[in-house]
Amino acid sequence: MRVNLRYYALLREQAGRQLEIVDTAAATPAALYAELAARHGFRLPASQLRVAVNAAFCDWQRPLEDGDEIVFIPPVAGG
Amino acid sequence: MNAFEFSTAPIDGTALAAPLARPAAGGFAAFEGRVRDLNEGRRVTALDYEAFESLATAEGARIVEAAVARHGAIAGRCVHRLGPLAVGDVAIWVGVAAAHRAEAFAACREIIDAIKHRLPIWKKEHYADGDSGWVNCEHAAAQGAGAAAFDYSRQRTLPEVGDAGQARLAAARVLVVGAGGLGCAVLASLAGAGVGEITIVDHDVIDASNLHRQPLYALADVGRRKAEAAAMRLAAYNPELSLRPVTRRFDAALAAELVAAADVVVDCTDNFATKFLVNDAAMRAGVPAVLASIYQYEGQLQVVRPDRDGSCLRCQWPEPTRDGLVGNCAEAGVLGPVPAVLGQMQAMEVLKLLLDLPGQLENEIVLVDLLAQDTRHLAAPRNPGCAGRCVRFGAATAAIDVDVTLPLEAAAAAGYRIVDIREPMECEFEPMPVSGHEAVPLGRLLDGGLQVEGSRPCLLVCAHGVRSRAAAEFLRARGHANVWSLRGGLAAQAP
């Protein structure tokens, strides 16, 4: 399964990119984040993030499908 | 009856008050301004009033209507004399009818102050020594003779704005929390648009490192209070506005007071704790809140609409305890246009709300990436298990102490029934360090999914002790006295 990823803020910095296309066997955003956290060294636990699939916030257990666009959103507070 | 009129005949207050009588008007306040016999040390025997009638009539009516609307009065009017007057004559009459005396007095006071301050009216004084002279009214004295008035014609021309829209802006009260990068952009645009009353809250002082992204401040302002410097700068920019700087720290009490008195609140702060204070106060008061945050080259924008039963900040982010987890402007750096763009987007949302323009954001979060110039809308509907439900239903009972400070093993050994109220996802990422606990996510708990027995103490646990505290207070308020919250949550437990 191939999915499109978009990173923001701290995750963009740690991944060193804003966009990424990955081939994965992860069935859910939770599993996918665990996989990516290991690869990119993300320090934020998933409990501090929100995930959106295809432009809507969703549950971490939502099943993923080929071609999904997944956005991991870290909290941001600057003003 | 026009809300503001000139009269060359003597003023009869009783006759002017008659059309303001309403069955619902339990209060009526009137003010009469009379010709005095002394002005700046000189004996005055008579006066002549002159005015730019067309301009003063239109502006006078706006002042009366705005004051009536702002204070929730029922009706008001003002009549100003023109021509020759003798000492003791009534020069101006203001009357306001309202349900209660407080609104009547307040609107009456505002009308007379604004008329004296803003209308182009002049008087020629005749003195006892035979001399005479034209005296600028306060309007002219304050602005200098011949100075231009702030002109909204370019936005008034928009069919969706017009005179009615401009009057709505003049009557609007907006609270801006934080006068930093976002705040400077928001304030400049709201002041330019003619938002009548702007309250600026910031307890911070200007640092030289702020200047690159906070153009309301000059180098010479370093060390001054931001709220005061911003108010002074904006007063010079648009003298028609009522600007109220507040330099107290924005705590829960101040938030409740200021948010309830505003039509819209704009969050321009730089930390989660204050953003959640703004969110919670807005939810309790039913006041829309426009929130934004920035990080380096990006920003997030969200409009919270309790007035439309919309989603709130807590629907997406259950806990306000992440300060320190992600960098702020000082640690991570920021380019000046980033807060400027996001702040202008906030100002746009405020004007859309006040003018009831189409396209108002609700139930979504906008992610703005200014490197890619990419703007993305993520649907963010109300979360049925939102921790904000406690806020929405107004449980402000912080006085009860529900916190317990104990290692979890000790709590279990002491006979506490331990209930993990985190979301299933969080439990998976960070399992409970003790066995024998139950899992009842907060949303289910608030829906009555936890059966509490009176005899056994029940200890609620979450990540940082914030949700568990709210849940414990929620259950206490429903008569369950033996419910407790683990102080600091799992984060405070020794590894």
Side-chain angles (χ1 to χ4, degrees):
Chain A
M1 178 172 62
R2 174 167 290 192
V3 295
N4 299 301
L5 298 173
R6 188 171 279 270
Y7 298 119
Y8 284 90
L10 211 54
L11 297 183
R12 171 181 50 76
E13 280 186 279
Q14 288 168 6
R17 72 198 76 189
Q18 218 237 330
L19 298 166
E20 187 174 24
I21 297 170
V22 297
D23 291 306
T24 179
T28 64
L32 178 62
Y33 185 75
E35 190 181 303
L36 294 166
R39 186 189 313 161
H40 294 304
F42 293 150
R43 295 194 304 270
L44 282 173
S47 62
Q48 298 294 341
L49 306 175
R50 290 307 316 269
V51 63
V53 176
N54 301 333
F57 281 96
C58 66
D59 193 87
W60 287 90
Q61 301 304 334
R62 178 196 190 281
L64 292 180
E65 288 171 25
D66 191 52
D68 278 347
E69 187 191 67
I70 299 148
V71 184
F72 294 110
I73 304 131
V76 165
Chain B
M1 176 191 90
N2 276 325
F4 181 89
E5 295 167 293
F6 285 107
S7 169
T8 51
I11 284 174
D12 175 356
T14 310
L16 294 177
L20 297 176
R22 300 282 193 287
F28 177 80
F31 171 81
E32 289 182 351
R34 300 179 175 200
V35 177
R36 243 178 339 158
D37 68 350
L38 197 67
N39 190 25
E40 294 187 350
R42 299 185 76 177
R43 284 279 151 207
V44 175
T45 56
L47 283 183
D48 276 303
Y49 274 105
E50 270 189 21
F52 285 144
E53 286 191 52
S54 57
L55 178 62
T57 304
E59 183 66 14
R62 271 198 287 279
I63 288 171
V64 172
E65 281 153 14
V68 166
R70 193 200 320 275
H71 296 287
I74 294 168
R77 75 185 297 195
C78 174
V79 175
H80 201 294
R81 277 291 302 276
L82 289 181
L85 277 79
V87 169
D89 282 353
V90 177
I92 181 168
W93 183 93
V94 182
V96 175
H100 309 101
R101 64 185 182 283
E103 306 94 278
F105 276 122
C108 190
R109 174 65 194 258
E110 178 174 316
I111 291 168
I112 183 62
D113 287 349
I115 298 261
K116 287 207 57 152
H117 184 64
R118 276 161 53 181
L119 287 202
I121 299 171
W122 289 264
K123 62 184 176 183
K124 185 181 190 180
E125 295 185 334
H126 301 276
Y127 303 110
D129 58 11
D131 198 359
S132 69
W134 284 101
V135 179
N136 289 335
C137 75
E138 290 179 40
H139 163 82
Q143 300 195 0
F150 208 92
D151 182 343
Y152 302 104
S153 60
R154 293 301 185 274
Q155 78 182 25
R156 221 191 272 256
T157 302
L158 290 164
E160 297 80 7
V161 180
D163 287 348
Q166 197 61 51
R168 285 173 88 147
L169 295 179
R173 302 159 304 175
V174 175
L175 170 64
V176 179
V177 186
L182 292 168
C184 280
V186 168
L187 288 166
S189 271
L190 296 186
V195 169
E197 188 178 300
I198 304 175
T199 302
I200 309 163
V201 191
D202 201 313
H203 68 272
D204 216 352
V205 296
I206 298 158
D207 187 87
S209 68
N210 299 146
L211 298 175
H212 84 113
R213 66 190 186 284
Q214 300 178 19
L216 283 184
Y217 312 123
L219 190 54
D221 290 326
V222 168
R224 292 181 65 195
R225 294 274 188 187
K226 284 188 175 179
E228 286 166 358
M232 277 195 67
R233 173 75 191 275
L234 294 170
Y237 169 54
N238 186 346
E240 293 182 1
L241 310 178
S242 165
L243 296 156
R244 197 173 147 219
V246 177
T247 55
R248 282 158 60 198
R249 187 177 283 276
F250 192 76
D251 59 15
L254 186 61
E257 176 195 329
L258 295 180
V259 170
D263 299 318
V264 184
V265 52
V266 194
D267 165 68
C268 301
T269 64
D270 63 355
N271 64 86
F272 292 113
T274 316
K275 287 179 191 295
F276 280 86
L277 267 183
V278 171
N279 177 76
D280 294 354
M283 292 304 289
R284 286 203 181 93
V287 171
V290 181
L291 316 174
S293 296
I294 53 165
Y295 185 85
Q296 292 187 334
Y297 306 104
E298 301 165 24
Q300 297 181 3
L301 177 69
Q302 180 177 10
V303 182
V304 172
R305 295 299 299 267
D307 55 322
R308 294 194 189 183
D309 206 27
S311 64
C312 77
L313 190 58
R314 286 185 194 269
C315 286
Q316 307 311 326
W317 306 105
E319 295 208 34
T321 43
R322 291 175 306 273
D323 281 313
L325 257 183
V326 296
N328 57 25
C329 293
E331 296 149 5
V334 63
L335 217 51
V338 177
V341 169
L342 270 292
Q344 296 297 356
M345 291 175 85
Q346 286 182 288
M348 190 67 202
E349 289 304 315
V350 173
L351 297 180
K352 279 155 71 175
L353 262 159
L354 295 176
L355 294 166
D356 201 21
L357 298 181
Q360 296 173 29
L361 291 180
E362 63 179 312
N363 297 330
E364 57 190 310
I365 289 177
V366 181
L367 301 181
V368 180
D369 174 353
L370 290 168
L371 286 178
Q373 296 291 18
D374 175 87
T375 301
R376 197 154 286 259
H377 292 243
L378 303 179
R382 263 192 69 183
N383 172 359
C386 170
R389 278 181 55 165
C390 305
V391 172
R392 211 179 282 267
F393 298 131
T397 51
I400 319 170
D401 193 5
V402 299
D403 280 345
V404 166
T405 308
L406 263 183
L408 271 175
E409 292 83 356
Y416 278 95
R417 173 186 173 198
I418 295 170
V419 180
D420 185 350
I421 67 159
R422 297 174 301 158
E423 301 303 313
M425 189 60 224
E426 297 176 79
C427 304
E428 193 174 315
F429 268 91
E430 193 180 353
M432 285 281 277
V434 291
S435 54
H437 65 278
E438 299 161 61
V440 181
L442 180 59
R444 195 137 60 79
L445 181 149
L446 294 174
D447 282 332
L450 178 66
Q451 299 306 315
V452 188
E453 314 143 33
S455 53
R456 189 178 173 201
C458 181
L459 182 61
L460 307 182
V461 180
C462 69
H464 296 273
V466 176
R467 279 174 291 174
S468 58
R469 185 183 170 87
E473 287 173 354
F474 174 88
L475 292 170
R476 290 277 188 105
R478 274 148 194 80
H480 303 298
N482 214 356
V483 179
W484 306 88
S485 162
L486 182 68
R487 186 190 298 274
L490 290 180
Q493 296 283 308

